[in-house]
Amino acid sequence: MQEGYTPEMLELIKRVEASRPERLAQSRAGKSYPAMSMDDRDVVLNAFHPDYSEEGRRALGIGQNQGEVYPEELVDLLESRSMLESVSVDVTQPDMETDVLVIGGGGGGTAAALAAAGEGNQVLLATKLRHGDSNTVMAEGGIQGADQEPDSPYYHYLDVIGGGHFTNEPSLVAAMTNDAPLIIEWLESLGMMFDKHPDGRMKVRHGGGTSRKRMHSSGDMTGAEIMRVVRDEARNRAEQIKVLEFSPAVELLMDDDGRCAGAILHNLETSTFQVVKAKAVIIATGGTGRLHYRGFACTNHYGATGDGLVMAYRAGAKLGYMDSVQYHPTGTAYPEQNVGLLVTEKVRGLGGQLLNINGEQFVFPLEPRDVESAAIIRECTGEGRGVRTPTGRLGVWLDSPLIDQLHGEGTVQRELPAKYIQFKRFGIDIAKVPMLVYPTLHYQNGGIAINDLGESTIPGLYAAGETTGGVHGHNRLMGNSLLDILVFGRRAGLNAAKSIAGGEVPGAPNMEHLQSYGEALADAGLDRGVLSPMILPNYATDEIRKQRWDVQSPVV
Ligand SMILES: Cc1cc2nc3c(=O)[nH]c(=O)nc-3n(C[C@H](O)[C@H](O)[C@H](O)COP(=O)(O)OP(=O)(O)OC[C@H]3O[C@@H](n4cnc5c(N)ncnc54)[C@H](O)[C@@H]3O)c2cc1C
C-alpha cells in the first residue's frame, strides 16, 4: 500500500501502470520518445522557460554590468549598500594574515585550498557554515569525465558547447573537458568509491545532452562522496590549511592599485568582524538558489545566497551570463515536505520516463535541462495535462518502477538509495509507484567572469565553481558542475600560488571601494536602504512564505 499518495492520486497512477507494458516493450527494443529538433526546442523555450520571459527581471543600474537584465532578486542585492558602511573596522590591523584566502568550503573551495597548499602556501579557508555544508554535498547523479573508450575530451567539448547553446567561453570548456580525466583519476587516488563493474571498470552512463556515456557516479550520493574525500584530504593537511567555520566573508579588501588584498569575515558565533590580509583571494561561494527567483522552490543548501557575486561586484569584478539560471526539470512536487528537492537526472538516465496525467509520454527524457523543464511547464500550464496535488501544485509523473522492470528488481534501491529513502519516509515506494515532479530552481549558470587560469578581472582575485560564469554558457549539462568546481578550483589554487611565487602581492588593504559604491548608488538614485550580502535566507517574512507556497507550482 502506498499510503503516501491520496486515493485520487493512486487512481491516476493506474493510467501510468496501464501504459507501462507498451512503454517497457519499446524501451527494450531501443525505441524512445523522439528528441526535439533545434526549432522545436526554440519554440518551447521561448514560450515556457522562465529565462525567456521578461517577468521578474530588470536591468542592473550600476557598475561593470550596468544595463544587463537579471532576476530582480539578484539586482536588489547588487544595487545595495554594504553592511560594513556603518561598522567601524580597522583594516590596518589585520587579525590574520595568510598566503591564500579561500572563501567557501564546498568542493570548489576545498579543491582550491588543496592546490594552493600543494604549492607550499599557507591557506585560510573561511566558510559560512560547517566545512562541507554546500551544494557539493547534495549532488546526486554524477560527474562527467571522458576517460573511457570510445569517448574523448573532444566529444565532451562538443556536448558542453551544444548544451550551452553555443554561447560558452570556448577556452573554459577546453580547460574543463581536457582536465576531466585527470580529475577522475585524482578523486580515485583520494579514495573516492566510484560505481564500478565487477571486473573493476568504471560504470559510466549517459546524462541529458551527452553523446557518449561518461557520467561517473557514487550511487546517488556522488557529491557527498566527493566532499568526503576532499574534505578529509584538507583536514589531513591541517598544518597548512586552516579552516574557519561559521565565518562568512562579507566584503573584500583592496589595495591602492586595485589588487585584492584580503577580506572581512563575520564570525556568526561571536558576531564580531575579523580582518584577513591575504596575498591572493579565491572566491568559491557557490550559487544563488536561496534567492528563490520568481518564487520557485529550490534544490540548494541554505548558504546559497550569492554572497560572492555581491562582494566581487562591489570590488569591480565583471560578471557574465547572469541572465541565465538553471531550473532542474525534476524537482519533487509531492509530498509537500519534499517540495523543490532534487530528483536526480540519473532516474531518467536509468530509463525512467516522464508522463502526463493520462500516463502518456510527452518529451524525450534526456533533452537538455532547459528544454526538458520548459516541456514540463508546457504540459502542465499550457496543455493542462499536469497532475494536481492536494495543495494545488502541479506536476508530472516520473515513472521510476520502469527502472526495475528494465534492469531487474532491486535496481532502484541499489542505484538510487538516497531518493528511495527520501520518498519511503513519506509512505511512497518509488520502486513500485512513480514520483510527481516539477521544475525547481537549481543552478546559476552565470557568475564572476574568469579566464582559464581562474583569474577574475581583478588582479589577485580568483574564482571557482558555481559562483563563476562562462563554462556552461546558457545551459549546464548534468555532471559538469562537479567537474567544473574541481577543475577550476584546482586551477585557481595553482595560479594563485604561481602569482604569489612571482612576487605579485598586494599593498596595504583598504575598503574605499565600498564608499565609492555607496556614493555611486546614491548618485544613480538607487539607494533603497537594503544591505547585502544576504548571508542567510530569511524565511520568516510573509513575502517569502507567499512566494514559496503560492507561486512555485502555478495553480491553473
Ligand atoms: C541537490 C543538488 C544536486 C546536484 N547534483 C549534481 C550532479 O549530480 N552533478 C553535478 O555536476 N552537479 C550537481 N549539482 C550542482 C553542483 O553540486 C554544484 O553546482 C557544485 O557542487 C557547487 O560547488 P561550489 O564549490 O561552487 O559551491 P558549494 O558546494 O555550494 O560551496 C559553496 C560554499 O561557500 C560557502 N559560502 C557561501 N557564502 C559564503 C560567504 N559569504 N563566506 C564564506 N563562505 C560562503 C557555502 O556555505 C558553501 O560551503 C547539484 C546541486 C544540487 C543542489
Side-chain angles (χ1 to χ4, degrees):
M1 177 62 189
Q2 303 294 329
E3 70 269 18
Y5 282 126
T6 63
E8 293 77 13
M9 293 170 104
L10 287 172
E11 206 48 43
L12 290 174
I13 287 173
K14 286 184 183 160
R15 300 184 191 175
V16 174
E17 289 165 348
S19 68
R20 195 177 288 142
E22 194 183 331
R23 289 184 287 109
L24 179 64
Q26 287 192 333
S27 293
R28 284 196 173 132
K31 292 186 189 149
S32 66
Y33 192 90
M36 285 188 215
S37 67
M38 294 305 263
D39 286 345
D40 289 345
R41 286 181 179 182
D42 283 346
V43 169
V44 70
L45 285 172
N46 278 313
F48 291 98
H49 194 283
D51 272 4
Y52 293 70
S53 153
E54 282 315 307
E55 196 188 318
R57 296 146 74 85
R58 72 169 195 269
L60 180 58
I62 185 172
Q64 314 66 262
N65 293 75
Q66 185 172 359
E68 292 181 11
V69 177
Y70 299 159
E72 279 184 343
E73 295 81 354
L74 179 66
V75 176
D76 284 344
L77 290 184
L78 294 174
E79 290 178 353
S80 64
R81 303 186 81 101
S82 166
M83 60 162 72
L84 290 185
E85 269 194 54
S86 55
V87 178
S88 160
V89 182
D90 183 0
V91 298
T92 63
Q93 302 292 322
D95 298 291
M96 286 167 269
E97 292 196 33
T98 186
D99 294 327
V100 179
L101 170 64
V102 177
I103 303 175
T110 309
L114 286 169
E119 297 299 301
N121 290 285
Q122 285 300 318
V123 178
L124 183 67
L125 187 153
T127 196
K128 179 152 50 182
L129 304 166
R130 296 167 302 177
H131 187 186
D133 285 340
S134 60
N135 279 356
T136 303
V137 87
M138 300 176 80
E140 302 180 353
I143 175 168
Q144 291 203 37
D147 62 348
Q148 312 279 309
E149 292 290 339
D151 200 5
S152 82
Y154 166 82
Y155 295 113
H156 192 176
Y157 177 96
L158 293 180
D159 288 346
V160 176
I161 294 265
H165 303 299
F166 305 94
T167 59
N168 323 47
E169 295 295 332
S171 62
L172 300 183
V173 183
M176 181 175 81
T177 52
N178 282 327
D179 281 8
L182 180 146
I183 292 294
I184 302 289
E185 205 179 303
W186 177 60
L187 288 172
E188 201 167 23
S189 76
L190 293 180
M192 178 154 171
M193 305 284 282
F194 282 106
D195 293 335
K196 290 191 170 174
H197 295 286
D199 63 3
R201 281 176 303 121
M202 288 273 191
K203 274 190 183 167
V204 281
R205 291 192 180 80
H206 274 299
T210 61
S211 62
R212 299 285 187 283
K213 291 182 179 177
R214 70 172 74 93
M215 195 70 62
H216 300 66
S217 55
S218 231
D220 57 355
M221 292 178 264
T222 310
E225 181 61 3
I226 289 178
M227 202 64 235
R228 178 182 75 79
V229 296
V230 295
R231 184 179 176 282
D232 274 3
E233 188 65 13
R235 290 305 172 104
N236 286 339
R237 297 200 195 169
E239 71 291 349
Q240 265 188 294
I241 302 176
K242 182 174 178 191
V243 178
L244 281 183
E245 297 183 323
F246 299 105
S247 298
V250 290
E251 289 304 346
L252 296 176
L253 297 172
M254 305 294 285
D255 76 1
D256 288 344
D257 297 327
R259 173 171 278 274
C260 190
I264 310 276
L265 309 182
H266 185 217
N267 185 315
L268 292 178
E269 285 167 324
T270 60
S271 224
T272 54
F273 292 98
Q274 291 169 310
V275 177
V276 181
K277 187 172 179 226
K279 294 175 186 163
V281 175
I282 302 172
I283 295 187
T285 48
T288 49
R290 291 284 157 181
L291 301 187
H292 293 290
Y293 298 150
R294 302 188 61 186
F296 267 77
C298 82
T299 61
N300 286 194
H301 83 118
Y302 287 97
T305 50
D307 305 347
L309 302 176
V310 174
M311 290 186 274
Y313 197 67
R314 274 198 193 120
K318 185 111 172 107
L319 306 180
Y321 300 80
M322 283 310 311
D323 55 329
S324 172
V325 176
Q326 183 163 86
Y327 295 82
H328 194 288
T330 55
T332 308
Y334 185 88
E336 199 67 32
Q337 296 91 329
N338 283 358
V339 164
L341 294 187
L342 183 80
V343 176
T344 171
E345 198 166 302
K346 189 175 173 186
V347 176
R348 285 171 286 137
L350 286 164
Q353 296 173 345
L354 289 165
L355 309 167
N356 63 21
I357 191 168
N358 300 321
E360 303 154 339
Q361 289 193 76
F362 57 91
V363 64
F364 175 63
L366 290 173
E367 295 284 1
R369 285 182 172 172
D370 52 355
V371 176
E372 195 87 3
S373 293
I376 295 172
I377 295 173
R378 175 172 65 186
E379 197 66 12
C380 291
T381 65
E383 304 292 345
R385 292 192 291 247
V387 174
R388 197 192 294 260
T389 73
T391 58
R393 293 181 188 280
L394 282 169
V396 293
W397 297 117
L398 178 54
D399 192 11
S400 42
L402 191 64
I403 295 171
D404 269 11
Q405 299 196 4
L406 277 168
H407 304 287
E409 204 170 322
T411 310
V412 167
Q413 277 201 59
R414 191 179 60 250
E415 297 288 342
L416 304 161
K419 227 32 36 190
Y420 183 80
I421 293 165
Q422 197 173 303
F423 279 82
K424 192 78 174 131
R425 192 173 285 155
F426 297 103
I428 295 170
D429 180 346
I430 62 167
K432 301 207 163 45
V433 284
M435 299 172 246
L436 196 71
V437 296
Y438 191 82
T440 178
L441 186 54
H442 184 51
Y443 181 80
Q444 164 195 295
N445 289 320
I448 300 168
I450 55 164
N451 62 16
D452 61 354
L453 304 178
E455 294 170 328
S456 75
T457 52
I458 295 180
L461 181 66
Y462 298 77
E466 195 172 337
T467 194
T468 68
V471 65
H472 308 292
H474 282 91
N475 181 54
R476 174 179 71 87
L477 299 184
M478 179 211 165
N480 280 335
S481 177
L482 287 176
L483 176 60
D484 151 15
I485 65 173
L486 300 177
V487 166
F488 290 101
R490 191 176 149 275
R491 281 177 174 244
L494 290 176
N495 288 299
K498 203 166 164 188
S499 95
I500 293 170
E504 294 173 26
V505 293
N510 67 62
M511 293 199 302
E512 281 163 21
H513 63 288
L514 302 183
Q515 191 69 30
S516 325
Y517 200 83
E519 285 164 11
L521 276 175
D523 290 347
L526 293 172
D527 193 354
R528 297 188 181 80
V530 177
L531 297 181
S532 66
M534 185 184 259
I535 309 293
L536 291 174
N538 179 4
Y539 290 125
T541 67
D542 288 346
E543 190 193 350
I544 293 285
R545 208 174 285 125
K546 182 174 181 318
Q547 284 176 352
R548 278 170 66 82
W549 289 90
D550 293 344
V551 190
Q552 179 260 340
S553 291
V555 178
V556 293

